Amino acid sequence: MIEVEILVIGAGPAGLMAAMHAAEAGAKVLLIERADRLGGQLIKQTHKFFGSKAEYAGERGVYIADKLIHACEEMANITIWKNTPVLGIYPDGVVTVLYQNEFSTVKPKQIIIATGASEKTMAFPNNDLPGIYGAGAVQTLMNVHGVLPAKRILMVGAGNIGVIVAYQLLQAGVDVAGVVEAAPKVGGYQVHAAKLQRHGVPIYTSHSVKAAHGNPCLEGVTICKLDQDWQPIEGSEQYIEVDGLCLAVGLSPLTELLWQAGCEMKFVGELGGYVPLRDDNLKTTQDHIFVAGDVSGVEEASAAMVEGKLAGLHVASLLGYKKDDFSDNLHSAREQLIALRSGPAGAKICSGLSKVIVKEVG
């Protein structure tokens, strides 16, 4: 049995920030990541971030990842386990993991779960043909491994991920045949959509995929218009010849560990699916379990990093590690989240959060 003060599960933007700020306060942290490298989605993101200097505005995700990873690796009171899946969390507080191909048990005083989210998919005929990807898979191929996913590709989804990845495909030399969006307007930031439009990429709003075609691989996609009730309009079908189809249709929080730990959960569509009830300090209905990042509700990486900071600072303070500037740092983190969620883009997130943030949990 390995005893630790703080266990952080997931080393993406939220987990890295949580570990870093808890360790800076003086706590001893075990940071566990199931992948073979740290950084989560940041290592795929080559676009520049919005926000303020505190959220690394103007910097590319890959460089932000480098900074956070380096900071965590340099801290003597952070132990990092990569290639380590977490198997379960049990009522006695024991966490089981597969570390170095051996079953191990960890007993932390506090846990921060920052497991992120998984990609959603779509149901349509032949949606399992080779050449059909999730947007995260496309980013991994291009931005991590330098592999083009296709020669000519159709993007589905005009949220931030869809329009950003579509532009990255253009930058990599892929012919983007268009962007298909079921809603009547683009959901992503207009600055990203405008880049595609300047390159002549059509955006088919109020459209969806009817079927994929090809044997043995993808050769084309049929799209169709949708009426105001989101139903296909007969006779509106359009065939587009492509060898790649990229689905950017949303993310679902990876909450399996929270369910197993007995945290109270609630389905909130605005946040991506089932998420835990939590208080302002991101404590769930289990006293020793906190959350940060997309596992608590799908947002931008900037918000995930700030939530990680908030959770890390607060959990460290519960163990007696509270610096003189603790209150100022905690207040600053809360103000950052408010700013990131302000305006029309954050209205959906705020609506969802109002359903799960409670004054008293547990």
Side-chain angles (χ1 to χ4, degrees):
M1 180 80 70
I2 299 167
E3 295 187 357
V4 298
E5 290 189 321
I6 299 174
L7 172 63
V8 178
I9 303 174
L16 287 169
M17 286 287 280
M20 184 175 74
H21 285 280
E24 282 181 347
K28 293 180 176 61
V29 179
L30 173 59
L31 176 61
I32 289 181
E33 170 58 49
R34 68 178 181 179
D36 62 354
R37 58 188 297 182
L38 311 181
Q41 297 302 310
L42 289 175
I43 66 172
K44 311 174 186 180
Q45 296 176 343
T46 58
H47 60 279
K48 292 182 179 180
F49 276 39
F50 293 139
S52 67
K53 184 178 180 180
E55 291 100 42
Y56 301 96
E59 296 192 46
R60 302 185 188 277
V62 289
Y63 301 137
I64 297 171
D66 288 342
K67 289 183 178 181
L68 298 183
I69 293 167
H70 179 73
C72 287
E73 290 177 338
E74 290 298 304
M75 291 186 179
N77 51 340
I78 296 181
T79 300
I80 298 172
W81 289 359
K82 294 184 282 189
N83 290 308
T84 304
V86 173
L87 307 176
I89 299 177
Y90 296 89
D92 59 359
V94 172
V95 179
T96 56
V97 303
L98 186 65
Y99 176 57
Q100 295 182 342
N101 294 318
E102 291 187 2
F103 182 85
S104 301
T105 54
V106 179
K107 185 65 181 293
K109 293 180 179 178
Q110 300 286 346
I111 302 172
I112 299 174
I113 297 180
T115 45
S118 62
E119 292 190 283
K120 294 179 179 178
T121 186
M122 291 178 63
F124 52 83
N126 298 319
N127 69 347
D128 59 347
L129 280 173
I132 300 177
Y133 309 88
V138 166
Q139 283 187 301
T140 300
L141 284 171
M142 285 196 308
N143 300 340
V144 178
H145 301 296
V147 175
L148 290 183
K151 294 179 180 178
R152 177 174 165 83
I153 202 164
L154 182 68
M155 175 66 67
V156 181
N160 278 331
I161 293 177
V163 292
I164 287 172
V165 175
Y167 186 66
Q168 290 174 354
L169 284 160
L170 283 177
Q171 290 177 305
V174 176
D175 180 10
V176 179
V179 179
V180 176
E181 171 56 54
K185 61 180 182 179
V186 173
Y189 291 127
Q190 189 56 43
V191 65
H192 296 309
K195 293 178 182 178
L196 298 176
Q197 292 168 322
R198 286 198 297 270
H199 283 79
V201 176
I203 299 179
Y204 301 95
T205 53
S206 295
H207 278 72
S208 188
V209 173
K210 185 172 183 179
H213 313 278
N215 185 20
C217 300
L218 182 70
E219 297 172 1
V221 177
T222 296
I223 65 173
C224 62
K225 291 183 180 179
L226 302 178
D227 63 22
Q228 60 183 8
D229 296 318
W230 305 81
Q231 298 301 308
I233 298 175
E234 188 175 349
S236 67
E237 294 83 3
Q238 178 181 349
Y239 179 81
I240 300 177
E241 184 176 340
V242 291
D243 62 339
L245 180 66
C246 181
L247 305 177
V249 292
L251 301 169
S252 296
L254 284 168
T255 56
E256 292 87 349
L257 292 173
L258 294 170
W259 284 102
Q260 188 187 31
C263 299
E264 188 174 345
M265 310 292 288
K266 184 174 183 178
F267 185 88
V268 182
E270 298 96 323
L271 301 180
Y274 278 99
V275 293
L277 297 186
R278 83 300 296 261
D279 65 14
D280 287 338
N281 295 314
L282 299 168
K283 181 172 76 71
T284 69
T285 51
Q286 296 293 327
D287 280 343
H288 64 294
I289 297 179
F290 291 72
V291 289
D294 283 353
V295 70
S296 63
V298 176
E299 294 189 68
E300 297 294 312
S302 298
M305 287 189 288
V306 180
E307 282 196 340
K309 175 182 178 180
L310 195 158
L313 287 170
H314 184 73
V315 170
S317 75
L318 294 178
L319 299 175
Y321 299 103
K322 186 184 292 188
K323 291 186 174 182
D324 292 339
D325 58 356
F326 168 77
S327 296
D328 289 341
N329 283 334
L330 209 64
H331 177 73
S332 173
R334 297 192 199 286
E335 290 297 312
Q336 284 177 258
L337 285 175
I338 291 171
L340 287 168
R341 292 164 178 163
S342 64
K348 175 182 173 183
I349 297 298
C350 291
S351 173
L353 290 173
S354 68
K355 301 173 184 178
V356 294
I357 295 181
V358 293
K359 291 183 178 179
E360 296 290 338
V361 294

